[in-house]
Amino acid sequence: PQGLSSPQWQQLASRPLTLSASLCGPEAPPARADATFKVTMVPGDGVGPELMTAVKEVFKSGDIPVEFEEFHLSEVQNMASEEKLEQVLTSMKNNKVAIKGKIHTPMEFKGELASYEMKLRRKLDLFANVVHVNSLPGYSTRHNNLDLVIIREQTEGEYSALEHESVTGVIESLKIITRKKSRRIAKFAFDYATKKGRSKVTAVHKANIMKLGDGLFLQSCAEVAQLYPKIKYENIIIDNCCMQLVQNPYQFDVLVMPNLYGNIIDNLAAGLVGGAGVVPGESYSAEYAVFETGARHPFAQAVGRNIANPTAMLLSAYHSSPSSLSFKSLLSLYPIILCVSVCICVCMSQVRTRDLGGYSTTGDFVHAVVENLRHRPVS
């Protein structure tokens, strides 16, 4: 879709869709016509429930054979408990695939350091978070035609929930970096680059200051890089990386980094292509896949106002992935149709939500996607 103008996309919208991999990644294997697949759904907080309603509406209109097992898990709405967490985990383990909104984490300390988001990631070992930052066709930003991937280790680092008050007024917060997990995420990044035909992996670090912790991460990445001679390997300090992303993001291809840096870079990069409402994300373990927005924001101030952009949530299940567990492998032909329909709606300015400079509501956007689905014959 890169390089197509709005008139070209409007022309495309009026044509029958020949199903191919050219627009939304590799073709999926065929699925049985009578198959229905169960997917765990966790709406989360903020606009999460509204976005999930959009997903369900679009899936229903497209006759996509998915049955959602829905669980409401929230720390701020008194809908969180270990029992409910276990129910969610059981569903995820059975279904292998989930779609999730942001579970907001309160800042107040109430005796438990690990949030429910962290517990989900750890119990499922969702070690790799993948955010594909891709410019939307027909929507211009300062940097157009961007195509980079951010891979974040998300089970250790600064988000280890290991803090204590050593003496009154002094808090020690532990950052955990292990060789095993550093090598694992590095291998994931290089495998991803190899599978997706990408040419370079850049490790992001602060080893000049955190010589042991980030030094170990950097050393692990360099060791793994030697096993992939066809992939160019570089490293960059996190603060310089932020500046370079703003000035010249085209120099990057695949970036791999520890937990906190990934959280920051995900959000910065999302801002380059339109914001949190348009960038999808995925989290993987060896067995499970969880789809969510790339920049995790509850957007609480928009609750009930019908202004949230559902693009990221709609696309999150359909991006190319390094795992055979993606929705794409489950839903066969449907993702290509939906991906094209969403891109057309973004491209056509009359159905852009406010975050993209338009005046359309969440409902308007969903209605436009649904109409595109209904009026696109498949050949």
Side-chain angles (χ1 to χ4, degrees):
Q2 299 298 336
L4 290 182
S5 64
S6 293
Q8 286 175 304
W9 272 94
Q10 292 170 7
Q11 184 180 13
L12 176 63
S14 64
R15 297 208 312 258
L17 177 64
T18 299
L19 293 173
S20 71
S22 60
L23 290 173
C24 300
E27 287 190 45
R32 297 198 327 269
D34 60 343
T36 298
F37 302 97
K38 289 187 176 182
V39 173
T40 304
M41 174 179 280
V42 183
D45 295 305
V47 296
E50 297 173 49
L51 299 181
M52 293 304 180
T53 298
V55 169
K56 289 185 286 187
E57 184 176 341
V58 170
F59 274 43
K60 182 178 179 180
S61 68
D63 292 324
I64 299 177
V66 165
E67 177 186 341
F68 291 109
E69 291 184 353
E70 191 167 344
F71 297 88
H72 291 276
L73 187 65
S74 170
E75 294 187 61
V76 296
Q77 301 180 56
N78 296 320
M79 291 190 291
S81 64
E82 291 300 319
E83 180 182 0
K84 184 157 287 189
L85 178 63
E86 286 304 317
Q87 292 173 355
V88 173
L89 289 169
T90 298
S91 176
M92 287 183 171
K93 290 176 181 178
N94 289 337
N95 299 331
K96 308 294 184 183
V97 179
I99 185 167
K100 183 181 73 65
K102 167 65 177 174
I103 303 173
H104 183 61
T105 303
M107 286 186 287
E108 298 82 9
F109 175 60
K110 298 181 179 179
E112 177 66 62
L113 289 171
S115 68
Y116 278 81
E117 283 270 20
M118 293 169 63
K119 290 178 181 179
L120 276 174
R121 293 176 205 161
R122 289 180 182 175
K123 289 180 179 293
L124 296 175
D125 194 28
L126 296 167
F127 69 94
N129 178 245
V130 180
V131 175
H132 188 181
V133 180
N134 201 16
S135 294
L136 294 168
Y139 180 71
S140 295
T141 59
R142 181 181 180 87
H143 301 290
N144 295 312
N145 300 313
L146 287 182
D147 181 13
L148 57 93
V149 176
I150 300 162
I151 295 177
R152 163 191 177 191
E153 205 295 324
Q154 60 175 8
T155 60
E156 59 176 16
E158 294 85 356
Y159 296 2
S160 298
L162 295 173
E163 295 182 287
H164 64 273
E165 188 172 27
S166 53
V167 297
T168 302
V170 178
I171 301 295
E172 292 182 323
S173 182
L174 303 182
K175 171 178 177 173
I176 307 299
I177 298 289
T178 63
R179 182 180 300 277
K180 179 180 179 180
K181 290 190 175 183
S182 295
R183 289 181 64 91
R184 179 172 68 168
I185 196 65
K187 184 178 186 303
F188 182 97
F190 278 94
D191 285 343
Y192 183 99
T194 301
K195 181 177 180 180
K196 302 299 179 183
R198 292 179 174 267
S199 59
K200 183 170 72 172
V201 172
T202 302
V204 182
H205 65 94
K206 192 65 176 174
N208 58 322
I209 301 299
M210 287 172 275
K211 294 179 174 22
L212 297 182
D214 279 25
L216 177 59
F217 177 82
L218 190 58
Q219 179 187 359
S220 299
C221 290
E223 291 170 354
V224 172
Q226 294 178 5
L227 305 176
Y228 298 82
K230 294 183 179 180
I231 304 293
K232 184 178 181 181
Y233 170 68
E234 294 180 348
N235 70 78
I236 188 170
I237 294 173
I238 176 62
D239 37 341
N240 185 30
C241 180
C242 292
M243 181 180 69
Q244 295 297 328
L245 275 168
V246 173
Q247 289 187 325
N248 179 25
Y250 303 102
Q251 65 186 286
F252 298 111
D253 192 355
V254 175
L255 298 98
V256 60
M257 60 203 74
N259 209 336
L260 176 61
Y261 308 155
N263 198 353
I264 295 169
I265 296 298
D266 283 348
N267 285 266
L268 189 158
L272 297 177
V273 295
V278 299
V279 178
E282 306 144 3
S283 292
Y284 296 100
S285 71
E287 298 181 77
Y288 313 113
V290 176
F291 298 93
E292 53 199 333
T293 56
R296 299 162 180 166
H297 294 285
F299 200 17
Q301 64 269 33
V303 173
R305 296 172 60 191
N306 197 24
I307 61 173
N309 188 341
T311 301
M313 194 64 78
L314 288 173
L315 289 179
S316 64
Y318 306 101
H319 265 245
S320 301
S321 74
S323 168
S324 61
L325 296 174
S326 70
F327 270 146
K328 190 171 290 185
S329 66
L330 295 175
L331 303 184
S332 185
L333 306 177
Y334 302 98
I336 300 173
I337 308 170
L338 181 54
C339 181
V340 172
S341 296
V342 172
C343 287
I344 289 170
C345 289
V346 172
C347 180
M348 298 169 64
S349 59
Q350 63 266 32
V351 286
R352 287 183 184 166
T353 48
R354 294 184 184 183
D355 58 318
L356 297 183
Y359 298 94
S360 299
T361 64
T362 308
D364 293 336
F365 189 92
V366 172
H367 177 74
V369 174
V370 168
E371 288 302 303
N372 268 296
L373 286 173
R374 287 175 178 168
H375 293 93
R376 294 187 60 77
V378 178
S379 61

